[in-house]
C-alpha cells in the first residue's frame, strides 16, 4: 500500500503562509482519497481538507475555506496544502492521510505547524 511522507511544517507569524507536502511512496495516489487532518493539544483530530486523487473532488473544513488550498503533482505523486492567512488557531500537528475506502487508514508521521500571534 501507499506510504506517506510529510514535510513543510514550521513556525510562522499570524497572517503568514506555509505549504505542506505529502509524498506517496510504494504506490501512486491513484484510486485513493488523500487529505490533511490536524490535531491541536487537548482537541480531537479534525479533518481539514481532502481530495479524490483521480477526480479532483474536494472537501474543505469551514474553518479553512478561502485560506487553504490543495494541489496535486501527478509526476511527483505529491499532494500539497497551501495555507495562507494563518491564524493562531491553526496551530496543530498536521497529518497526511489516505484511503481507498471510506475511513482514512493510512497516515503519515505528522508535521508541526505553529502560528504565533
Amino acid at each position: 500500500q501507499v506510504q506517506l511522507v510529510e514535510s513543510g511544517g514550521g513556525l510562522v507569524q499570524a497572517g503568514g503562509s506555509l505549504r505542506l507536502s505529502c509524498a506517496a511512496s510504494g504506490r501512486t495516489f491513484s484510486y485513493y482519497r488523500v487529505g490533511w487532518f490536524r490535531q491541536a493539544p487537548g482537541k480531537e483530530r479534525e479533518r481539514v481538507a481532502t481530495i479524490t486523487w483521480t477526480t479532483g473532488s474536494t472537501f474543505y473544513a469551514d474553518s479553512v475555506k478561502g485560506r487553504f488550498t490543495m494541489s496535486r503533482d501527478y509526476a511527483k505523486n505529491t499532494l500539497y496544502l497551501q495555507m495562507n492567512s494563518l491564524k493562531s488557531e491553526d496551530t496543530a500537528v498536521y497529518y497526511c492521510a489516505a484511503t481507498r475506502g471510506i475511513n482514512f487508514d493510512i497516515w503519515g508521521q505528522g508535521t508541526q505547524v505553529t502560528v504565533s500571534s
Side-chain angles (χ1 to χ4, degrees):
Q1 66 180 17
V2 71
Q3 296 173 324
L4 308 176
V5 179
E6 302 143 343
S7 60
L11 173 64
V12 65
Q13 288 189 333
S17 298
L18 281 175
R19 188 178 77 159
L20 305 183
S21 301
C22 176
S25 65
R27 300 190 65 163
T28 70
F29 277 140
S30 297
Y31 309 112
Y32 282 85
R33 276 190 304 135
V34 194
W36 298 93
F37 292 71
R38 67 186 180 186
Q39 188 164 23
K43 295 187 177 181
E44 292 190 355
R45 187 170 58 198
E46 172 190 15
R47 182 167 61 141
V48 176
T50 58
I51 186 168
T52 301
W53 191 258
T54 52
T55 67
S57 177
T58 59
F59 163 87
Y60 289 94
D62 287 344
S63 58
V64 306
K65 280 181 182 176
R67 301 188 297 121
F68 291 11
T69 305
M70 289 180 293
S71 60
R72 296 166 289 175
D73 186 322
Y74 289 98
K76 295 182 179 180
N77 272 306
T78 299
L79 176 69
Y80 300 100
L81 181 68
Q82 178 66 43
M83 305 185 294
N84 298 328
S85 302
L86 283 161
K87 306 175 181 180
S88 56
E89 52 262 45
D90 295 318
T91 295
V93 178
Y94 284 69
Y95 298 92
C96 181
T99 180
R100 296 188 69 172
I102 297 174
N103 299 316
F104 284 84
D105 53 1
I106 304 168
W107 295 87
Q109 78 280 9
T111 184
Q112 177 71 46
V113 171
T114 303
V115 183
S116 64
S117 56

